[in-house]
Amino acid sequence: MARARVLICAVCVLRVALATVYFQEEFLDGERWRNRWVQSTNDSQFGHFRVSSGKFYGHKEKDKGLQTTQNGRFYAISARFKPFSNKGKTLVIQYTVKHEQKMDCGGGYIKVFPADLDQKNLNGKSQYYIMFGPDICGFDIKKVHVILHFKNQYHSNKKSIRCKVDGFTHLYALILRPDLSYDVKVDGQSIESGSIEYDWNLTSLRKTEESSPNSKDWDQAKDGKAQDWEKHFLDASASKPSDWNSELDGDWRASMLQKPPYQDGLKPEGIDKDIWLHQKMKNTNYLTEFDLSEFENIGAIGLELWQVRSGTIFDNFLITDDEEYAENFAKATWGKTKGPEREMDAILAKEEVKKAREEDEELLSGRFPGGENHFNRYFKRDEL
């Protein structure tokens, strides 16, 4: 049995060793967080943060996080870390958020920025790579944003992902994988997943990147001088698949059949100019180059948002390349305090009810010195 425990521990150590943790923040070292997080000074009216575990919590120290403190304000704060590229790797972004003020209108999302972010000047126009997390406003907006930046455009996930709206701490995790799959998790459960290719609004990227056929090149080919050029023929036998969805898959095009390169003296006689193409045929694989899940220079994480009522607490930030590490981190933090947090909230709620009842009784005893019996007799006599 002891040997089994040793083996299990060895596997755990290996698991941690294989994971790359780019950023992790739990606010467990008092006021030292101020050395890591930079408050933007772009606007003197920006709201201020403090580190607090709130009015109720599962553990007073472990549940401390960045808390918004002023109503009706914009907020902007960020932390920097060693820049990295997630090319060819899984990217996991995870954190907890608690709207203990029962959010009526405001953001609870985070942003991941390029390494060249000007932290002191962070504002709503600062470029970001990823925006992820809950956004609540009135009855209409109760959603989880998943926005990715590419080629100077922001692309939103076109699915409606609902967020939590109560006052407890919730765990949010976004997973982007090299195979272009993704997963959005809330409280450890997958609430949305699929393909980045199909679940984001990529219509602007669906156009085939082509270089127009050059008449001069065509003439050279006709003269038998294009030995290094390839010629392509449309596959006349091809037909559109029955399950092809033009809305999701784009316009269907027949595949191109490729012949060996021209040889000296071989002329493309009988080949129609519109069929002989010198193009970059990328329609079926455009995301190999236009990969929205890859970011070359990730180097900062932050909060840039608006809140009508303050009080939200952000905690347990994590950026890693390992899904299992993220799950274990969640269990060791949010997983251990979520239960006690609800228990404390229930105790406080009972105390508030008791206090309110005592205040009502005190009020009644002041107005009716004879106590409750006098109160009842008074109203009974009134009714008669």
Side-chain angles (χ1 to χ4, degrees), residues 311-326:
T312 300
I313 298 175
F314 300 86
D315 194 13
N316 302 313
F317 294 93
L318 176 68
I319 301 178
T320 181
D321 64 353
D322 192 284
E323 294 181 48
E324 187 172 343
Y325 179 89

Side-chain angles (χ1 to χ4, degrees), residues 365-378:
S365 64
R367 292 179 60 187
F368 303 97
E372 187 175 341
N373 291 332
H374 186 191
F375 171 80
N376 291 335
R377 287 198 302 274
Y378 176 84

Side-chain angles (χ1 to χ4, degrees), residues 107-165:
Y109 44 80
I110 62 174
K111 292 182 177 181
V112 176
F113 299 94
D116 60 0
L117 171 71
D118 181 356
Q119 291 180 274
K120 283 287 187 180
N121 199 40
L122 173 60
N123 61 81
K125 295 181 179 179
S126 299
Q127 180 194 324
Y128 60 86
Y129 282 147
I130 300 169
M131 175 173 149
F132 169 63
D135 191 12
I136 300 170
C137 198
F139 295 101
D140 298 330
I141 301 176
K142 293 177 174 119
K143 66 183 293 184
V144 177
H145 287 292
V146 190
I147 302 175
L148 307 178
H149 181 268
F150 180 74
K151 297 198 92 168
N152 297 318
Q153 292 184 25
Y154 293 106
H155 303 272
S156 299
N157 186 299
K158 60 188 179 184
K159 292 183 177 179
S160 178
I161 309 175
R162 188 174 174 82
C163 66
K164 297 290 185 178
V165 297

Side-chain angles (χ1 to χ4, degrees), residues 180 195-198 202 205 282-292:
L180 298 182
S195 168
I196 295 175
E197 179 178 358
Y198 297 113
L202 305 183
L205 303 181
K282 293 184 178 180
N283 190 55
T284 59
N285 199 30
Y286 65 90
L287 280 178
T288 299
E289 181 175 345
F290 303 122
D291 190 347
L292 288 184

Side-chain angles (χ1 to χ4, degrees), residues 15-83:
R15 184 76 249 168
V16 173
L18 291 175
T20 301
V21 178
Y22 304 108
F23 182 79
Q24 185 170 307
E25 176 66 86
E26 299 176 67
F27 304 98
L28 298 176
D29 56 353
E31 290 298 305
R32 293 180 184 174
W33 68 272
R34 297 182 184 278
N35 298 327
R36 298 185 297 273
W37 291 82
V38 177
Q39 174 89 34
S40 174
T41 56
N42 176 268
D43 189 329
S44 61
Q45 294 301 307
F46 277 165
H48 294 286
F49 289 91
R50 68 182 175 189
V51 165
S52 171
S53 50
K55 298 175 182 177
F56 61 95
Y57 41 79
H59 189 285
K60 188 172 183 179
E61 295 302 318
K62 292 181 180 179
D63 279 350
K64 284 184 176 180
L66 284 177
Q67 184 179 41
T68 56
T69 62
Q70 297 169 280
N71 295 338
R73 297 292 183 96
F74 284 98
Y75 291 86
I77 194 170
S78 63
R80 196 180 295 282
F81 46 85
K82 184 179 179 180

Side-chain angles (χ1 to χ4, degrees), residues 92-239:
V92 184
I93 300 168
Q94 183 174 281
Y95 72 109
T96 57
V97 58
K98 177 173 75 166
H99 295 310
E100 74 170 19
Q101 77 277 35
K102 303 290 178 64
M103 176 65 75
D104 50 358
C105 188
Y109 44 80
I110 62 174
K111 292 182 177 181
V112 176
F113 299 94
D116 60 0
L117 171 71
D118 181 356
Q119 291 180 274
K120 283 287 187 180
N121 199 40
L122 173 60
N123 61 81
K125 295 181 179 179
S126 299
Q127 180 194 324
Y128 60 86
Y129 282 147
I130 300 169
M131 175 173 149
F132 169 63
D135 191 12
I136 300 170
C137 198
F139 295 101
D140 298 330
I141 301 176
K142 293 177 174 119
K143 66 183 293 184
V144 177
H145 287 292
V146 190
I147 302 175
L148 307 178
H149 181 268
F150 180 74
K151 297 198 92 168
N152 297 318
Q153 292 184 25
Y154 293 106
H155 303 272
S156 299
N157 186 299
K158 60 188 179 184
K159 292 183 177 179
S160 178
I161 309 175
R162 188 174 174 82
C163 66
K164 297 290 185 178
V165 297
D166 58 49
F168 297 108
T169 300
H170 292 286
L171 176 74
Y172 286 84
L174 170 65
I175 303 169
L176 302 176
R177 304 185 184 94
D179 64 358
L180 298 182
S181 66
Y182 76 95
D183 210 339
V184 175
K185 294 183 176 183
V186 177
D187 294 347
Q189 302 298 315
S190 176
I191 61 170
E192 195 56 78
S193 61
S195 168
I196 295 175
E197 179 178 358
Y198 297 113
D199 291 351
W200 265 258
N201 294 319
L202 305 183
T203 53
S204 62
L205 303 181
R206 286 188 175 280
K207 298 176 182 178
T208 304
E209 188 180 75
E210 302 175 346
S211 59
S212 301
N214 189 305
S215 297
K216 184 178 179 182
D217 295 333
W218 172 255
D219 294 337
Q220 285 182 341
K222 288 179 67 177
D223 292 339
K225 298 178 181 178
Q227 69 179 63
D228 294 324
W229 296 86
E230 296 177 347
K231 59 180 179 179
H232 301 76
F233 296 92
L234 288 170
D235 185 358
S237 65
S239 59

